[in-house]
């Protein structure tokens, strides 16, 4: 689930990125605490990382919108 959310966060719906980040971190903690009973650490880590990247992209887009908005307001003067 975390990998799918991470990929969807990178490609289609960026709001899934932070969800993948949080779920991936929680899943990695559960896997580490299970003392080897659970597998899939690589997939969980991939989802975690793609969630971080998607969240960073959201942040950059928000900053760009703010800068464009400020530029448009200042350009009208």
């Amino acid at each position: 689930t975390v990998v799918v959310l991470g990929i969807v966060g990178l490609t289609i719906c960026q709001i899934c990125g932070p969800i993948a980040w949080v779920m991936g971190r929680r899943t990695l903690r559960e896997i580490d605490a299970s003392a080897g009973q659970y597998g899939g650490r690589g997939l969980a880590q991939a989802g975690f990382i793609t969630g971080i990247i998607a969240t960073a992209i959201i942040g950059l887009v928000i900053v760009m919108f703010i800068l464009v908005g400020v530029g448009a307001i200042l350009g009208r003067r």
Side-chain angles (χ1 to χ4, degrees):
T1 304
V2 176
V3 174
V4 171
L5 285 172
I7 293 170
V8 168
L10 281 176
T11 57
I12 300 170
C13 179
Q14 281 70 35
I15 197 67
C16 292
I19 297 168
W21 186 359
V22 171
M23 287 180 65
R25 181 178 47 201
R26 184 175 22 157
T27 303
L28 286 172
R29 286 182 184 160
E30 289 176 6
I31 290 171
D32 291 341
S34 73
Q37 289 182 357
Y38 295 141
R41 189 177 203 297
L43 290 174
Q45 193 166 15
F48 175 70
I49 292 170
T50 55
I52 291 172
I53 294 169
T55 304
I57 291 171
I58 290 173
L60 291 173
V61 168
I62 290 171
V63 168
M64 285 177 34
F65 275 120
I66 291 171
L67 291 175
V68 168
V70 169
I73 291 171
L74 294 177
R76 288 185 169 185
R77 291 183 181 194

